[in-house]
Amino acid sequence: MVSKAKRKRSSSMESSGNSAVLQPVANAGFSLGNFKIPFALIIALAALAMTPRVQANEILFYSFAGAVLFLLTWFVYLFMQCQRSGEERSFELILRQQHYIQAMVQISVYSYWGYFWRPVYDHAWLIVGQILFAYTFDMLLAWSRRQKYTLGFGPFPIILSINLFLWFRDDWFYMQFLMIALGFMGKEYVRWQREGRNVHIFNPSAFALGLFSLVLILTNTTHLTWGQEIASTLTLAPNIYTFLFLIGLIVMYFFSITLVAGMAAISLFALSALYNATAGVPYFLDSEIPAAVFLGLHLLVTDPSTSPRTPLGKTLFGILYGFSVFALYTLLGALGAPTFYDKLLAVPILNLSVIAIDNAVRSIKSRELLNVWNDNWFGGKANLAHMSVWVFVFLLMSGLGKTDSKHTGDSLPFWQEACFSELPNACERLVQLESTYCADNSAWACNELGLQFREGIIVARDNAMARDYFAQSCELKFKAGCLNLLNDDLLAKEDPHELDLRLLLREGGLNLMENPLDELYDRACEHSWAFACENI
Amino acid sequence: MNRSESDLAGIGNKTEATAPSRTVGFTAMSIIIFFVAYWMSSQSSISSSVNSQMNSAESLPGFNKQAWLLPDDALLGFVEIPAGEFTMGSNPALDRMAYENERWSNLQRQGSVQLSSFYINRYEVTIAQFRQFVEDTGIAIDPAALQGDPSTPVSSITWPQAIAYTQWLEGKMRNSPQTPAPLMASLEAGAKISLPTEAEWEKAARTDDGRTFPWGSQPTSEFANFAGEGKRSVGFYACASCAFGLSDMAGNVWEMTRSPLQPYPYDAEDDDENLAEDALWVMRGGSYADTINNIRSAVRGGVDPGVRNNTIGFRVVISPH
């Protein structure tokens, strides 16, 4: 056991370092001392539970109440234990650039995305609640392990990163607190010695997201989360690729993650282009790289402490991420699981490989290869050189219309034609696209899906499923869907209605709800809808 | 043990604190993961058990628990409407309350429609009957639809949900020895269980004598639930003089049909036309919330197939398609 004297000596030694150290309050009578901070955080979390946003849903309220009760119990236990033993708990204030800059970048994403998809703003109070929970949990965990707590902005990027990819619906919000707890426990307990330092293996947010993603896939319970909506609504914000690219440059500049993010993006661009050239159809449905993946490769996979240290290692790490996402997209699709998990599942596995990657790179005997990214070649400014290459690649891709522009895969008639021509995966993509639009309340798409299941040509015949889709189409007033529902022998089809076109022509992110009908038909004609060309 | 193995195991970690140990941490993490996995996998079974808790298996007097809670009589509440011609639409000279959309054509006030024989249920579909369907299929509906006295007509359901009920009932009746022989014979001859067409509904409501209300042509509050405040149990109003002995063909809840709302003259053959139009289905009979003019047998209302309303329900027919 560490003696009190030793702990005091340790405390005074740490206070002489660069970090600001708050000294424990003298133990005179009853005083919470440094425990005031977690206590205040718990009170703040309890106060948040009283806000209308939390009170609006009973289970959400009980989730917050449960979190408060859990933290309070832990707090009282730890406090009493310290009182009995005379031990003190302390923290040091360290404001790390990678935490607050990353957090600011993430907040800018929420602000921009939320402006075009309001549920993000509605979720803001719940993010605040998670941050309060995370600080308290992390602090109590460190103090339970008799460690000094490092107070800074650390929990911000973890919580903001988790919520950029997955959040549970109000009725299951207690799972969100468990996911956060798991992330912080993973950071505290799942560690290894790396280059002489005891560091966590996994990116905390990616670890929690990866594990929960796996459970959600295996239990087929994705519908308990907003995962699918989060992945698909990012593109509602106009020019989202350019926006993510620009904020990505900030992160790249400060934290030298250009090799990881840039190589991951370049790999995905290259693989998509290769697939398109050989198969004749785009690999991803609505872009060369889905916007959520583009976000992930800037803000999820680039944690410097869980990625390789060597330049060539970072390059390999980025390429591996690109290949993993590419492979997982097909694998998840083949398993019938939602494909948006592709960007989440790869990260923990890659985190496990960083030592191996660094060791492999260091075992290379070729000096030329090892020095390929040598800092000296760029006058000591290698990162700026890497960023220049990335800027060039992004501008090139944008110039070729591979980022924010219209994408071939956005056109439903293209996939219908491709399916008819029996191009690889085209029919699966068509059904996937129709499913997405049906979920977005396109009555036409629901009727088309129903017809697919009734005909049984490109999917297995399933009349019960067909009826479900016809019912959905009918509830959206699509007369053909109603007639198909009435008569099992009918295959009634009809061109998309006005509201359908406003959904089907969004090209991923456009809001066409207010556009004049003429403009809508022009756009539909550009998308190869023959009936629209006749209406111009 | 090589370097990487010891790295992963954390051996040689000089900064590792003593308590709670890494074992405690891993145990806690494992518990969280297993709890989450178990809890999530149980979500679907929880919803099933909620459904089974709803399975009250009500035994209502006059309804057969063994036969999907349909009326407990020889034909499970179905009444045969004989084949033949009847007069459809309104003649404003005889019915001052007639609306414009009840006129047959520019040249003709009323029309004549020939129908084959069919069966129609004496009562509107009740909450208890619909609940059996919901429990059996797990269909997602507005919970409000199942609230209230189980012997009152179901409402707050959409048109596709009403159709789904008829399809479910047909599946059950085709495969059950409980189905009375005449009904089974009709089904085997190609008839289907569905919503009535508006012509079937109107004929069942006013026979071939062109009466204004199911009981005759004089307004009365004696035989119908209208201008009131809520639904009443089906069959609450005894009406021996009503056409074919059917109950609640006027008032209680509007009844959805399988005919699209389009101008007269009525022609079942053109129901599949005009697919570009938004779907709107005819509903008949008025509801507890309507005044006397809206519970006339010729009144034609329109219902959006996505609408759920407490004043709208349905009854079923077995008819040739």
Side-chain angles (χ1 to χ4, degrees):
Chain A
M1 182 181 282
V2 183
S3 72
K4 201 171 175 180
K6 272 185 182 172
R7 276 196 302 278
K8 278 188 178 169
R9 191 164 58 244
S10 157
S11 174
S12 69
M13 281 167 67
E14 280 155 356
S15 67
S16 62
N18 291 332
S19 58
V21 176
L22 302 187
Q23 291 298 330
V25 175
N27 194 6
F30 178 82
S31 168
L32 283 174
N34 286 333
F35 277 90
K36 279 176 192 155
I37 293 178
F39 185 68
L41 290 168
I42 294 170
I43 296 299
L45 186 62
L48 204 62
M50 300 302 150
T51 57
R53 173 67 184 89
V54 178
Q55 295 271 333
N57 182 293
E58 197 179 0
I59 297 177
L60 180 63
F61 170 73
Y62 284 124
S63 301
F64 270 71
V68 167
L69 198 65
F70 166 73
L71 293 174
L72 202 58
T73 309
W74 191 1
F75 168 86
V76 169
Y77 171 77
L78 191 60
F79 178 71
M80 290 178 71
Q81 196 185 41
C82 291
Q83 288 287 95
R84 271 199 306 272
S85 63
E87 290 177 24
E88 290 156 353
R89 294 292 184 264
S90 63
F91 58 85
E92 55 186 342
L93 189 68
I94 300 181
L95 306 179
R96 293 200 173 102
Q97 211 178 28
Q98 65 261 40
H99 292 156
Y100 61 79
I101 288 183
Q102 184 111 338
M104 284 192 286
V105 166
Q106 288 164 328
I107 289 169
S108 74
V109 175
Y110 281 107
S111 307
Y112 185 58
W113 170 35
Y115 186 78
F116 297 95
W117 194 54
R118 290 296 158 149
V120 176
Y121 289 172
D122 295 339
H123 188 62
W125 282 117
L126 305 189
I127 293 179
V128 174
Q130 291 171 64
I131 290 172
L132 293 171
F133 176 84
Y135 267 107
T136 319
F137 187 94
D138 198 24
M139 200 176 289
L140 293 178
L141 186 61
W143 284 355
S144 295
R145 306 197 78 205
R146 297 186 171 84
Q147 292 170 347
K148 180 180 283 185
Y149 181 67
T150 306
L151 183 61
F153 288 102
F156 271 83
I158 296 175
I159 299 304
L160 295 175
S161 182
I162 286 175
N163 283 268
L164 274 176
F165 298 97
L166 202 66
W167 74 69
F168 279 87
R169 293 179 190 277
D170 289 359
D171 285 344
W172 290 274
F173 200 77
Y174 45 89
M175 291 289 177
Q176 195 78 14
F177 288 122
L178 286 176
M179 182 157 64
I180 292 165
L182 196 68
F184 280 92
M185 289 170 82
K187 177 169 147 286
E188 186 68 27
Y189 289 109
V190 188
R191 303 173 77 87
W192 59 12
Q193 291 293 121
R194 190 173 163 209
E195 296 173 11
R197 292 181 59 208
N198 180 259
V199 293
H200 53 275
I201 300 175
F202 297 109
N203 173 338
S205 49
F207 176 67
L209 286 168
L211 273 177
F212 268 70
S213 296
L214 206 58
V215 173
L216 287 163
I217 292 169
L218 292 175
T219 55
N220 194 23
T221 48
T222 297
H223 61 281
L224 307 186
T225 74
W226 286 85
Q228 186 67 63
E229 289 87 347
I230 291 170
S232 59
T233 57
L234 206 56
T235 49
L236 290 177
N239 300 313
I240 188 69
Y241 288 93
T242 307
F243 178 81
L244 293 175
F245 165 72
L246 290 174
I247 58 150
L249 288 181
I250 298 171
V251 187
M252 286 174 175
Y253 177 77
F254 282 102
F255 310 120
S256 304
I257 52 108
T258 317
L259 286 176
V260 176
M263 289 313 294
I266 290 168
S267 307
L268 276 168
F269 274 134
L271 287 168
S272 285
L274 190 66
Y275 183 89
N276 203 345
T278 52
V281 290
Y283 184 71
F284 294 109
L285 266 181
D286 53 359
S287 57
E288 298 298 316
I289 302 181
V293 174
F294 200 64
L295 172 68
L297 60 86
H298 280 103
L299 294 179
L300 187 65
V301 76
T302 50
D303 175 11
S305 56
T306 55
S307 50
R309 303 248 193 267
T310 56
L312 193 56
K314 288 180 183 177
T315 307
L316 284 173
F317 192 75
I319 292 173
L320 281 173
Y321 182 70
F323 275 75
S324 306
V325 170
F326 193 82
L328 280 167
Y329 183 76
T330 291
L331 183 66
L332 290 168
L335 294 172
T339 52
F340 73 86
Y341 289 116
D342 54 1
K343 60 194 170 291
L344 305 180
L345 292 172
V347 187
I349 300 164
L350 287 174
N351 288 154
L352 272 176
S353 70
V354 290
I355 287 183
I357 290 174
D358 273 340
N359 287 345
V361 168
R362 287 184 183 121
S363 71
I364 295 171
K365 304 295 178 198
S366 162
R367 288 186 66 81
E368 288 75 18
L369 188 56
L370 267 181
N371 287 335
V372 72
W373 295 116
N374 196 317
D375 210 23
N376 296 331
W377 287 20
F378 307 101
K381 294 182 176 170
N383 188 45
L384 286 179
H386 303 156
M387 285 176 68
S388 308
V389 174
W390 168 234
V391 169
F392 173 76
V393 170
F394 184 81
L395 291 178
L396 183 68
M397 297 309 293
S398 298
L400 293 172
K402 303 296 182 189
T403 55
D404 284 311
S405 312
K406 180 173 172 288
H407 185 260
T408 317
D410 286 323
S411 167
L412 250 160
F414 166 82
W415 289 106
Q416 287 174 324
E417 184 60 36
C419 176
F420 183 73
S421 306
E422 299 180 354
L423 293 178
N425 292 327
C427 294
E428 289 82 350
R429 294 281 192 273
L430 175 63
V431 171
Q432 193 181 344
L433 205 55
E434 286 172 350
S435 301
T436 304
Y437 284 120
C438 177
D440 288 346
N441 284 338
S442 162
W444 174 87
C446 295
N447 188 54
E448 291 294 308
L449 261 182
L451 292 170
Q452 308 282 19
F453 282 100
R454 179 161 287 173
E455 287 177 309
I457 296 170
I458 62 174
V459 292
R461 189 190 299 268
D462 184 340
N463 204 39
M465 190 83 96
R467 280 178 178 175
D468 285 347
Y469 283 118
F470 291 139
Q472 206 173 332
S473 171
C474 179
E475 287 196 355
L476 295 163
K477 298 201 243 185
F478 204 72
K479 194 171 173 184
C482 298
L483 294 171
N484 285 326
L485 183 64
L486 269 177
N487 186 348
D488 283 347
D489 301 322
L490 198 65
L491 294 169
K493 286 175 87 87
E494 170 59 17
D495 292 328
H497 291 182
E498 183 185 327
L499 182 61
D500 293 309
L501 288 180
R502 294 186 191 281
L503 297 168
L504 299 171
L505 302 173
R506 282 177 309 176
E507 294 171 8
L510 302 170
N511 183 352
L512 303 177
M513 286 302 163
E514 305 296 329
N515 289 42
L517 199 56
D518 291 351
E519 206 177 291
L520 213 57
Y521 279 121
D522 282 343
R523 187 178 284 273
C525 186
E526 283 172 25
H527 276 247
S528 311
W529 291 100
F531 80 95
C533 301
E534 291 162 14
N535 280 342
I536 292 174
Chain B
M1 189 180 288
N2 61 34
R3 160 92 190 273
S4 60
E5 282 171 331
S6 64
D7 283 343
L8 197 55
I11 294 171
N13 176 5
K14 294 185 174 56
T15 59
E16 179 71 24
T18 50
S21 69
R22 178 171 285 194
T23 311
V24 174
F26 274 104
T27 307
M29 287 168 67
S30 305
I31 289 171
I32 290 178
I33 293 167
F34 281 113
F35 166 76
V36 169
Y38 169 77
W39 187 249
M40 286 184 179
S41 61
S42 66
Q43 286 308 304
S44 54
S45 52
I46 283 173
S47 58
S48 322
S49 73
V50 168
N51 278 343
S52 63
Q53 282 169 13
M54 286 164 52
N55 191 351
S56 48
E58 291 124 326
S59 53
L60 294 171
F63 292 85
N64 188 338
K65 195 175 162 186
Q66 310 303 321
W68 318 285
L69 288 170
L70 292 172
D72 193 10
D73 62 28
L75 287 180
L76 298 177
F78 283 96
V79 175
E80 185 173 14
I81 311 297
E85 208 172 57
F86 83 105
T87 302
M88 196 169 176
S90 291
N91 180 353
L94 301 174
D95 179 359
R96 296 292 175 89
M97 293 182 280
Y99 291 115
E100 184 57 33
N101 73 348
E102 296 163 27
R103 185 184 176 92
W104 198 250
S105 68
N106 288 335
L107 302 174
Q108 218 179 324
R109 288 168 169 168
Q110 289 175 292
S112 186
V113 176
Q114 175 77 33
L115 291 177
S116 307
S117 71
F118 63 96
Y119 292 94
I120 189 165
N121 210 282
R122 183 180 301 119
Y123 303 127
E124 290 159 336
V125 172
T126 65
I127 287 177
Q129 290 163 359
F130 201 81
R131 177 173 290 164
Q132 286 222 329
F133 155 67
V134 171
E135 288 168 1
D136 198 40
T137 60
I139 189 174
I141 59 159
D142 181 350
L146 299 184
Q147 285 166 6
D149 182 344
S151 65
T152 56
V154 69
S155 56
S156 299
I157 45 137
T158 64
W159 188 88
Q161 287 167 348
I163 294 290
Y165 172 85
T166 65
Q167 290 168 340
W168 169 82
L169 185 63
E170 182 177 324
K172 293 288 178 192
M173 289 185 69
R174 278 188 187 279
N175 298 298
S176 171
Q178 297 290 331
T179 306
L183 302 185
M184 186 61 93
S186 180
L187 289 170
E188 286 173 349
K192 289 184 174 179
I193 299 182
S194 190
L195 301 179
T197 63
E198 66 168 325
E200 286 169 343
W201 193 95
E202 190 167 330
K203 181 175 180 181
R206 63 196 308 202
T207 71
D208 53 2
D209 61 15
R211 60 183 76 174
T212 306
F213 300 99
W215 53 84
S217 291
Q218 294 306 312
T220 172
S221 58
E222 198 178 337
F223 303 122
N225 176 22
F226 69 99
E229 291 183 349
K231 298 183 288 187
R232 287 203 180 267
S233 298
V234 296
F236 178 85
Y237 290 91
C239 181
S241 57
C242 283
F244 304 107
L246 303 181
S247 181
D248 296 322
M249 291 297 275
N252 218 6
V253 288
W254 285 94
E255 296 177 16
M256 294 184 273
T257 73
R258 67 171 196 271
S259 296
L261 183 62
Q262 45 195 356
Y264 278 160
Y266 174 83
D267 178 4
E269 298 302 313
D270 68 3
D271 283 359
D272 295 356
E273 295 172 3
N274 303 321
L275 292 185
E277 290 176 351
D278 281 348
L280 196 61
W281 299 92
V282 173
M283 59 179 186
R284 294 298 202 111
S287 75
Y288 66 84
D290 287 284
T291 48
I292 188 80
N293 53 328
N294 279 351
I295 65 163
R296 290 175 304 109
S297 301
V299 165
R300 310 174 72 210
V303 58
D304 177 324
V307 159
R308 295 169 177 82
N309 190 298
N310 195 40
T311 61
I312 304 173
F314 68 104
R315 81 174 68 210
V316 298
V317 292
I318 302 176
S319 69
H321 275 53

